[in-house]
Amino acid sequence: MSEYAIEAVGLHRTYRSRTGWSRPRRREVTAVRGVDLTVRQGELFGLLGPNGAGKTTTIKLLNTLLVPTAGTARVAGYDVVRQTREVRRRIGYVFGGDRGLYDRLSARDNLRYFAELYGVAPREQRRRTAELLDLVGLTGRENERVEGYSRGMRQRLHIARGLLHRPEVLFLDEPSIGVDPVAARELRQTVASLAANGTTVLLTTHYMAEADELCDRIAVIAGGRIRASGTPAELRRHAEGRQVLEVEAYGVTDRQLAEIHRLPGVREASLQVLGAVQLLTVQSAVGTDVQAEVLRVLAGIRLGRVLGRQPTLEDAYVAIVSATTTADEPTPEPAVAA
Amino acid sequence: MIALGALLHVKYQSRSSLEITIAVLLPVVQATLAVYLFRAGGQPDRLLEAAVGAGLMGIWSSVLFGSGGAIQNQRWQGTLEMLILAPRSPALVILPITLATALTGTYAMVATLLWGRLLYGIPLDFADPFAFAVAVPGCVLALGMFGLLLAATFVLLPNANALANPLDYPIWLVSGMLVPVTALPGWTTPIAAVLPTTWGARAVREAATGAGPVWPSLGICLAISLGCLALGAAVMSRVERRARAAATLALA
Amino acid sequence: MTSLFRLVGVGGVIAYRALFNWTTPSMFVGTLLVGPLFQLLFFAYLGRQLGVADDTFYIVGNAVLAASSAGVFGGTMAVSNERRFGTLGHVLLSPRSRTAVFLGRALPYAGNGLLIAACTLAGGALLLGLRIPPQALPGLLLVLGAAALSCGFFGLTLGAIGLRFRDVWLVSNVSVTLLLLLTGVNVPATELPAGLRAVGAVLPVTHAAEAARRLVAGDGLAAAAGPLAVEVLLALGYALLAAGLLKVFEAESRRRASLDTL
């Protein structure tokens, strides 16, 4: 058996759709174009990328829900296309969102059903269900119908379900999406302890902080391809040799942003909206002081805090993703960090 | 596993007030329709047959819409993917759902007979009550298995109900559920002969009216259904693979 | 005034495309064209077997009834699918005449219904060998149109009820089955007890079917005019009812915050 829990080589996935019915046109969208991945056993691996980058497609290619149009993948030592059932015995899949559970049944019934379905031994089912309900903190609410659950509770139930049959590899697709910060933190703790116990975890997310905190290694995917991969520290080096200027502003126009982009010494400039205020982030080479110029461009706009700092993983991510997008496709918006 | 699955799906279906109300109300309407038609046709003594026939139509509706609708519902709920991910043959995963729809269909049979008794005073004197009590569950089981074949065909299509909707009348007609139709064109006879619905309906009617021996019909019904089960299982596996290649499992 | 027509017309058509579940060709043909034809065949053969009435009765009646599913389901879909897709709130926020928006939605469905009814009639006549006097054709078109329109507004009324109650599909499914029973199309009205006959008299399709039968029998437009007029009146009545209910329920749902609950 190989030492790798997940090995993917050259994964491609194209979606074909038809539009219009009097003169149907076929459209082909390539969501994943040549992804190579290796994840060692027991590793907590993060797949980071903006919306539409191909994260969910990649995860579905790996967990046997989709068949790749080209390329191969092995999970837990078995080929995902030729030995599908063996793979399914050893993996768990958890995805975020509101769907995926039987709303009109209780949490316990949901778990009972899936335990049976996923081959948990009948004698063990009750114990395992109770154990997992406890692990995710749903004991006491397990007999209520899922339709009354909050998003966070549903997420926890999703995780419990994913763990029923003690999978070797767990796939988590954007697990903290729409979950409040407190619940998200508990979720992260659960995931971290799972990995500590030897389960291999592949996590997709577009929350930088989450990836930074949890993952042993991260791959940044954008436009269907892996753009960079390594440990968080290694990735941060993409932003090395840079310093970051952060300006809180109220009312920066696109024209001004474009002008800032054109200033000499500016590598990146991006604008985020955080509630009522905008956060302008300007990356420049270490030693180059662009602050004066930037402030000149922003003259007349009300400003808040201005500070210079070291780059974080998020800045590295922005650097990687923007380098991609200026090269090929139109810009996908980098997500606002949670 | 099949038993647990079927029971949980019945539980799930029965918790929708929509399903329950339809299951109770539609039989009334169908029973009424059948009764008035038979009376208008000058055959008031065949009312039990009418009620039983209407009940059978109800079971078939439940299976047809249940199997097609169940796949669609699983898709909408996002649970279809989780079902497919189970390390089991997809047929074993879907069969409980179709069985559950057939079981729910028995509400229809029971309801029709009760309404018939209550509203129109139809005497519930079955020619062979024991055979009836066996034939109905047998028919239900058979239709559940047939439902798997239907479900397998529906998995690949995003809006399965399009096919489901037009299929209830033809089956009712060709299988002779309400009343055996002697005036149908000859080419329908072979089709009817291979449908488990035809034999199931025959078995149930024979038990109710004593028009013939029950067991041969029931036997043929179950045999054909087992064939459908096998075929459905084979198709299900192929279809699941195609759905994964064509990415229609989630269609979100 | 023209802008109102635009709202009714354009709004109606786009809403139709967005919300009608069956707009791909396979679905359209399957559910709406083939289905009613099968229904017609079922009752025709049943009628033959039981000796209730002749083929003509069943073919004409079921053809007119065929206009109903597009109307009834279309009307309920117009409202409840909004809720499903979450767009109901947005539509109701529109400052323009709500009534015109929703009434306009009935029109494409009515058009559908007319198409279906015509196809069903043609199909049934071909398959079962019915002869329709050619001079009856324009009258028939009128009758089918009236039936389609009243079914459309009837459906909208059901959809309006759906603004208030969760399970509107229940109502529409049961309605379609009730139409089967009560419109005197499959069970001749004379065979129904007085109470049910009275209910049938205020439902769409009943009078249009009667008008159609008279036309096909060769009685001429004069004989059919009576029931046709009643059908048209019913259509208007349902339109008014739908508009009224929409206003009432919308106001109420704003008080009770029940608009977006599925």
Side-chain angles (χ1 to χ4, degrees):
Chain A
M1 192 89 59
S2 76
E3 63 183 285
Y4 291 117
I6 303 175
E7 286 172 84
V9 178
L11 284 179
H12 270 81
R13 175 69 213 193
T14 307
Y15 292 111
R16 260 180 261 138
S17 64
R18 269 193 340 177
T19 47
W21 60 271
S22 54
R23 237 175 334 209
R25 277 157 305 191
R26 285 189 183 273
R27 246 176 20 132
E28 282 203 357
V29 175
T30 306
V32 172
R33 42 184 102 215
V35 163
D36 298 317
L37 269 186
T38 49
V39 179
R40 280 187 301 272
Q41 284 177 9
E43 201 175 10
L44 214 173
F45 190 87
L47 195 58
L48 197 62
N51 294 324
K55 303 191 294 293
T56 301
T57 306
T58 305
I59 239 193
K60 286 193 184 177
L61 287 171
L62 293 173
N63 72 14
T64 76
L65 279 177
L66 283 178
V67 173
T69 35
T72 61
R74 300 181 72 82
V75 173
Y78 294 95
D79 186 284
V80 296
V81 170
R82 283 192 302 265
Q83 294 160 304
T84 312
R85 201 166 295 172
E86 295 300 321
V87 173
R88 288 177 179 172
R89 267 193 247 278
R90 294 168 174 76
I91 61 170
Y93 178 42
V94 175
F95 54 88
D98 279 326
R99 304 185 325 157
L101 293 167
Y102 290 107
D103 281 6
R104 292 185 220 138
L105 295 180
S106 68
R108 176 179 293 154
D109 277 340
N110 267 282
L111 288 180
R112 256 175 83 198
Y113 180 53
F114 285 106
E116 182 64 54
L117 218 58
Y118 283 68
V120 177
R123 256 176 318 240
E124 228 206 294
Q125 279 173 22
R126 297 197 74 158
R127 202 170 45 82
R128 187 78 184 134
T129 312
E131 195 182 316
L132 285 170
L133 283 169
D134 199 37
L135 177 72
V136 298
L138 283 174
T139 321
R141 308 273 316 256
E142 73 266 21
N143 288 323
E144 292 171 26
R145 294 199 201 181
V146 170
E147 59 192 357
Y149 279 13
S150 67
R151 176 75 75 91
M153 289 169 75
R154 279 170 195 258
Q155 264 317 89
R156 287 186 268 163
L157 186 56
H158 269 283
I159 291 191
R161 176 185 51 192
L163 296 173
L164 278 169
H165 54 303
R166 298 181 205 277
E168 287 172 29
V169 181
L170 190 65
F171 292 98
L172 294 168
D173 194 4
E174 311 231 15
S176 22
I177 206 160
V179 173
D180 70 83
V182 175
R185 186 183 306 179
E186 288 172 7
L187 223 76
R188 284 194 283 268
Q189 282 168 352
T190 314
V191 173
S193 62
L194 277 175
N197 283 331
T199 312
T200 311
V201 176
L202 183 116
L203 172 76
T204 67
T205 180
H206 59 193
Y207 294 138
M208 253 61 64
E210 185 170 276
D212 200 355
E213 177 189 327
L214 285 178
C215 301
D216 300 325
R217 281 197 311 137
I218 298 176
V220 177
I221 184 170
R225 260 192 276 262
I226 307 269
R227 303 296 173 176
S229 76
T231 63
E234 283 165 7
L235 281 183
R236 244 176 262 129
R237 259 184 247 129
H238 278 266
E240 201 151 273
R242 296 185 181 211
Q243 64 190 22
V244 178
L245 180 70
E246 272 184 6
V247 181
E248 282 179 355
Y250 299 84
V252 176
T253 64
D254 287 338
R255 200 180 48 79
Q256 284 165 324
L257 187 62
E259 207 182 317
I260 292 177
H261 262 290
R262 287 194 296 271
L263 289 176
V266 168
R267 295 271 193 87
E268 297 302 331
S270 62
L271 201 57
Q272 292 167 357
V273 178
L274 300 170
V277 67
Q278 294 165 308
L279 187 66
L280 176 66
T281 310
V282 182
Q283 294 185 18
S284 59
V286 162
T288 316
D289 186 4
V290 294
Q291 185 167 324
E293 289 299 302
V294 171
L295 291 178
R296 182 185 58 78
V297 174
L298 294 177
I301 296 182
R302 188 157 79 99
L303 297 178
R305 208 180 45 158
V306 177
L307 69 87
R309 58 170 175 75
Q310 293 302 305
T312 63
L313 184 63
E314 181 173 352
D315 303 308
Y317 168 80
V318 170
I320 297 170
V321 170
S322 324
T324 306
T325 56
T326 43
D328 26 54
E329 291 85 30
T331 317
E333 287 300 310
V336 178
Chain B
M1 185 203 88
I2 296 184
L4 174 69
L7 280 170
L8 277 173
H9 278 283
V10 172
K11 193 174 181 184
Y12 182 82
Q13 282 171 26
S14 62
R15 281 186 178 179
S16 157
S17 52
L18 174 67
E19 305 270 345
I20 297 205
T21 327
I22 287 194
V24 171
L25 280 186
L26 281 187
V28 186
V29 182
Q30 284 182 313
T32 312
L33 198 60
V35 165
Y36 282 121
L37 273 175
F38 273 71
R39 277 191 190 158
Q43 297 178 15
D45 49 335
R46 290 172 68 190
L47 289 185
L48 179 61
E49 193 179 332
V52 167
L56 282 169
M57 285 159 64
I59 300 183
W60 170 246
S61 277
S62 177
V63 169
L64 183 60
F65 288 105
S67 303
I71 300 294
Q72 185 66 316
N73 280 334
Q74 302 301 320
R75 238 197 215 105
W76 282 347
Q77 278 187 311
T79 42
L80 184 59
E81 289 184 321
M82 296 312 300
L83 294 179
I84 298 293
L85 272 182
R88 290 177 186 275
S89 121
L92 275 185
V93 170
I94 304 292
L95 184 62
I97 303 183
T98 59
L99 272 179
T101 63
L103 281 171
T104 339
T106 37
Y107 284 161
M109 175 62 99
V110 173
T112 314
L113 291 172
L114 285 177
W115 285 118
R117 180 88 184 77
L118 272 164
L119 292 178
Y120 305 110
I122 300 179
L124 295 182
D125 50 355
F126 302 104
D128 189 345
F130 171 70
F132 188 76
V134 173
V136 171
C139 192
V140 163
L141 183 64
L143 287 183
M145 294 193 276
F146 187 39
L148 180 66
L149 183 56
L150 293 174
T153 329
F154 289 164
V155 165
L156 196 54
L157 304 166
N159 253 320
N161 277 301
L163 274 191
N165 285 347
L167 273 182
D168 50 6
Y169 281 110
I171 300 289
W172 289 344
L173 187 59
V174 170
S175 309
M177 278 190 176
L178 189 56
V179 79
V181 182
T182 47
L184 283 173
W187 53 267
T188 60
T189 325
I191 299 181
V194 297
L195 286 174
T197 47
T198 318
W199 296 101
R202 242 176 110 161
V204 171
R205 194 173 33 250
E206 284 161 352
T209 59
V214 180
W215 309 111
S217 305
L218 191 59
I220 300 183
C221 171
L222 284 169
I224 300 184
S225 302
L226 282 170
C228 290
L229 180 65
L231 188 59
V235 175
M236 196 74 209
S237 301
R238 276 209 63 206
V239 152
E240 180 243 349
R241 221 202 122 122
R242 284 181 66 185
R244 283 160 52 214
T248 52
L249 279 180
L251 225 61
Chain C
M1 198 55 189
T2 39
S3 70
L4 192 66
F5 278 128
R6 265 186 67 87
L7 185 63
V8 166
V10 176
V13 172
I14 293 186
Y16 170 78
R17 287 178 55 213
L19 300 172
F20 203 44
N21 279 347
W22 301 320
T23 43
T24 70
S26 57
M27 274 180 250
F28 188 85
V29 171
T31 315
L32 295 179
L33 288 184
V34 173
L37 198 58
F38 280 146
Q39 180 180 308
L40 186 155
L41 288 172
F42 177 75
F43 282 109
Y45 277 108
L46 204 61
R48 282 185 190 176
Q49 191 72 21
L50 294 174
V52 176
D54 63 5
D55 275 358
T56 316
F57 176 78
Y58 280 107
I59 298 176
V60 177
N62 276 292
V64 180
L65 186 62
S68 61
S69 29
V72 173
F73 285 117
T76 48
M77 274 180 216
V79 176
S80 68
N81 274 353
E82 291 272 29
R83 177 182 282 157
R84 191 182 116 207
F85 291 128
T87 45
L88 189 57
H90 293 283
V91 171
L92 290 175
L93 275 178
S94 149
R96 306 190 63 187
S97 164
R98 212 91 74 241
T99 315
V101 169
F102 278 105
L103 284 182
R105 287 179 182 192
L107 296 178
Y109 304 134
N112 250 344
L114 178 57
L115 177 65
I116 296 168
C119 289
T120 312
L121 185 59
L126 269 165
L127 287 175
L128 297 176
L130 174 71
R131 295 219 50 219
I132 302 179
Q135 62 269 31
L137 284 175
L140 271 177
L141 213 57
L142 218 61
V143 169
L144 291 180
L149 215 60
S150 68
C151 286
F153 288 128
F154 180 65
L156 211 58
T157 312
L158 294 179
I161 297 179
L163 267 186
R164 175 75 169 72
F165 298 106
R166 257 171 66 143
D167 283 329
V168 67
W169 296 106
L170 167 66
V171 179
S172 51
N173 270 301
V174 175
S175 305
V176 167
T177 318
L178 281 177
L179 284 179
L180 212 58
L181 176 64
L182 298 173
T183 47
V185 155
N186 290 312
V187 179
T190 45
E191 301 286 342
L192 288 173
L196 293 182
R197 216 179 315 157
V199 176
V202 297
L203 287 177
V205 172
T206 315
H207 299 274
E210 179 57 35
R213 279 192 290 266
R214 290 188 191 174
L215 279 173
V216 171
D219 291 347
L221 201 47
L228 179 57
V230 179
E231 188 72 51
V232 173
L233 274 174
L234 273 176
L236 284 172
Y238 279 115
L240 285 172
L241 187 59
L245 283 177
L246 280 170
K247 281 208 141 65
V248 167
F249 287 142
E250 186 206 334
E252 192 193 27
S253 66
R254 275 159 57 202
R255 278 200 316 271
R256 293 166 85 252
S258 56
L259 207 57
D260 282 326
T261 48
L262 241 178

